[in-house]
Amino acid sequence: MAERVNLVRNGSFESGDLGGLPEGWQFFTPEAGLAPEFRLGIDRGERALIATGNGNEHCVGWVYTRFRIEKGRTYRMKVRFRASDDIHPCDHLLFS
């Protein structure tokens, strides 16, 4: 079995200032007025990326980082998140 290696640099958000973005991650929104807020914080004793809306139901934006993959290989992506009761993940979250 191949050794498991996290290809996502700073995937556990260990680097970066609290209140800012994780080191090596970037933010994008197509419309500044619809931008959500993303910031590093502490959740249940661990560093976490915290996303909050801006009160507009059309709020849109995302954080991302880049990493290399090889054609023909299989990869597993694992993400852990917690959402408030008014968020429906199938309607609001996209992983690509």
Side-chain angles (χ1 to χ4, degrees), residues 15-60:
S15 298
D17 295 330
L18 293 178
L21 288 178
E23 187 176 298
W25 291 69
Q26 298 178 14
F27 169 76
F28 178 82
T29 183
E31 179 66 45
L34 298 178
E37 178 189 0
F38 293 94
R39 62 182 171 76
L40 278 175
I42 303 294
D43 182 57
R44 298 181 182 183
E46 295 184 27
R47 290 175 70 97
L49 180 63
I50 298 171
T52 54
N54 65 8
N56 185 318
E57 68 178 296
H58 302 292
C59 180
V60 63

Side-chain angles (χ1 to χ4, degrees), residues 69-81:
I69 58 174
E70 295 177 27
K71 182 179 178 180
R73 303 231 14 217
T74 300
Y75 298 89
R76 178 173 41 175
M77 186 170 111
K78 181 179 174 183
V79 177
R80 182 176 62 184
F81 66 91

